[in-house]
Amino acid sequence: MNNYKGPQVNYKTKHKPQKHNNFNNQSKIVSVIIIALAFLIPTVSSLFNNRANTSKLDSNNLEKVQVVKHVDGDTVHVKFADGRIEKLRIIGVDAPELASEFREAEFYAEEASEYLHDLIYGKTVYLEKDVSDRDQYNRLLRYVWLESALDNVDFDNITKTDLANHMVNAKLLADGYAKLVTFPPDVKYHKFLRDFNKEAREEDLGLWSKRN
């Protein structure tokens, strides 16, 4: 007869696999991975988007600038990435002149100036050169694209709608805040801009509402 009364060992309990703890550890690992991906995916996506935008800028000779000073209905000052500030004359348009010590304001000058200020002052825009770099007053001559153009315009197949929605030069003409002025050889978008000018005039928009 075995009367041994020493410590009793429950082998089933002692050697039972720690399934619950393992499951908790795995859940923690999965949670960490999910959290990491939540931060990583937007970052990677942003990197690819930035590369795409940079490629688009380079391939279409667009210059990214910030509008730092407003002058009137067709002239602003812009700041480049290197800190350089240049006076810019928006190409292909002529807005009414504001008042000065030498003259009275032309009709619709205040409205045109205010429109351009509200449209681009303090904002990032993209400049496109035609043929000429500067005018006789050493101002840069450029087409000005709104930031929205970068994601919405196929610069290899630009349409009239693209200009109407995303180009400052076209908007000034289409809404009657400026008249068309064309000086060859800068005629890349002349056909489209001419159409905007003609349509605004026919509809008596803006400065066209008063015929001289």
Side-chain angles (χ1 to χ4, degrees):
M1 176 181 293
N2 186 358
N3 294 321
Y4 176 71
K5 296 184 178 181
Q8 299 297 310
V9 178
N10 188 333
Y11 288 98
K12 290 184 179 180
T13 301
K14 182 177 180 180
H15 297 289
K16 185 178 181 180
Q18 302 299 310
K19 291 183 179 180
H20 183 69
N21 289 337
N22 288 341
F23 178 77
N24 285 342
N25 290 337
Q26 290 173 358
S27 297
K28 290 178 181 179
I29 293 172
V30 171
S31 297
V32 170
I33 292 174
I34 292 174
I35 293 172
L37 287 175
F39 285 98
L40 183 60
I41 290 174
T43 302
V44 173
S45 176
S46 176
L47 287 174
F48 278 108
N49 286 337
N50 287 339
R51 288 178 182 174
N53 286 343
T54 300
S55 175
K56 187 176 291 187
L57 287 175
D58 293 341
S59 64
N60 293 286
N61 298 315
L62 299 180
E63 304 165 286
K64 181 179 180 179
V65 298
Q66 184 178 21
V67 180
V68 295
K69 183 179 179 180
H70 165 261
V71 178
D72 55 26
D74 53 33
T75 307
V76 294
H77 291 250
V78 296
K79 184 177 182 179
F80 289 80
D82 60 6
R84 173 172 49 102
I85 295 177
E86 295 270 8
K87 194 171 187 178
L88 169 72
R89 177 67 165 77
I90 298 175
I91 194 172
V93 303
D94 183 28
E97 297 289 341
L98 290 170
S100 72
E101 57 181 314
F102 305 109
R103 62 174 181 269
E104 293 183 355
E106 294 181 349
F107 175 67
Y108 226 66
E110 292 289 345
E111 291 86 347
S113 181
E114 189 174 316
Y115 176 83
L116 184 62
H117 177 277
D118 293 345
L119 185 63
I120 63 174
Y121 176 69
K123 298 178 182 178
T124 297
V125 296
Y126 297 85
L127 308 183
E128 181 184 0
K129 180 184 174 184
D130 200 329
V131 176
S132 303
D133 184 50
R134 297 175 184 268
D135 65 9
Q136 66 269 36
Y137 304 108
N138 201 38
R139 298 175 298 188
L140 291 178
L141 294 172
R142 296 291 188 273
Y143 300 106
V144 181
W145 291 94
L146 298 175
E147 194 167 25
S148 58
L150 221 57
D151 295 320
N152 294 285
V153 175
D154 177 1
F155 284 90
D156 293 323
N157 299 283
I158 294 176
T159 67
K160 182 178 177 181
T161 301
D162 291 332
L163 271 70
N165 292 332
H166 308 290
M167 181 192 274
V168 174
N169 316 54
K171 284 180 168 293
L172 287 168
L173 294 171
D175 293 331
Y177 291 105
K179 296 179 181 180
L180 175 68
V181 289
T182 303
F183 297 103
D186 303 311
V187 297
K188 180 174 182 179
Y189 298 110
H190 172 70
K191 180 181 180 297
F192 290 139
L193 297 181
R194 181 190 62 197
D195 289 345
F196 290 125
N197 189 75
K198 179 175 180 290
E199 290 162 7
R201 184 172 184 174
E202 290 174 346
E203 295 175 26
D204 294 325
L205 298 179
L207 59 82
W208 298 110
S209 63
K210 178 182 178 181
R211 300 301 176 89
N212 298 322

